Amino acid sequence: MKTWGIGSTHVITRLGNNMIKRWGIWTPYFTILVSKIYPIDQIYHNHESTFISFLLLGSYWEEVEVDGVVTTRYSRLVNIVRSCEYHKVICINPVWTLLFMGKRKQEVTAKWKDKVYPYTRLTKRYN
C-alpha cells in the first residue's frame, strides 16, 4: 500500500480473484477503510497494525493463529485484530466492514505451509 492515499485499494489473488475491495484513506498514522470482503479461500495474513472493524452488512468466521495455536471466532458486529495475529476470513456471502487502524508498525506478511512470505508475493493490489 502506498504511504499516503485516498480512494480505492483492492486486493486480488495471484489467479485474479477478488479478495477484498476497499475504499478510504490511509496514512502512516491511521487508516480508515470501507471494505467488501469476498467469499473465497483466503490465506493467513497479519496487518500493519492492530485494527477494529465494524460489520456493516453480513457476518463471518475467522481463523486466528497466534504462536502456532489456531482458534475460530465468529464476528457479527465488531472485530478487533491485533498486529501479531495471523488470520483469515471465512464468509458465505460478501461482507461489508468499516475499519479503523492505528499507526503502521510492520509490513503485512502471509503464512503458507508454515512459511512466512511478504503478502505481496501471494496477492496483488490494484486501484
Side-chain angles (χ1 to χ4, degrees):
M1 186 179 290
K2 297 176 190 171
T3 306
W4 293 82
I6 188 166
S8 64
T9 173
H10 307 311
V11 180
I12 61 171
T13 67
R14 287 282 175 192
L15 299 175
N17 298 311
N18 284 316
M19 285 179 61
I20 302 171
K21 286 193 173 181
R22 305 180 294 197
W23 302 267
I25 183 170
W26 53 95
T27 76
Y29 309 104
F30 69 90
T31 300
I32 302 171
L33 297 170
V34 172
S35 303
K36 182 180 183 182
I37 303 169
Y38 288 86
I40 68 165
D41 188 20
Q42 292 192 5
I43 55 175
Y44 286 104
H45 61 280
N46 62 9
H47 287 266
E48 293 101 336
S49 182
T50 298
F51 70 82
I52 184 168
S53 64
F54 299 91
L55 278 74
L56 303 174
L57 183 63
S59 61
Y60 61 83
W61 292 267
E62 177 179 41
E63 287 184 8
V64 180
E65 180 187 333
V66 179
D67 298 327
V69 178
V70 176
T71 57
T72 302
R73 15 186 222 220
Y74 179 69
S75 298
R76 190 165 175 219
L77 297 174
V78 178
N79 190 28
I80 297 173
V81 176
R82 299 177 311 163
S83 60
C84 64
E85 297 175 334
Y86 281 88
H87 77 134
K88 67 178 180 177
V89 172
I90 303 163
C91 57
I92 297 169
N93 297 306
V95 176
W96 287 87
T97 66
L98 175 61
L99 175 141
F100 298 93
M101 187 176 338
K103 184 177 179 178
R104 290 189 196 159
K105 298 178 183 178
Q106 64 192 20
E107 291 297 316
V108 178
T109 58
K111 279 192 175 181
W112 179 256
K113 298 184 180 181
D114 295 325
K115 292 185 181 178
V116 176
Y117 299 94
Y119 191 66
T120 53
R121 185 168 173 195
L122 302 173
T123 63
K124 296 179 184 179
R125 289 190 175 143
Y126 70 97
N127 294 354

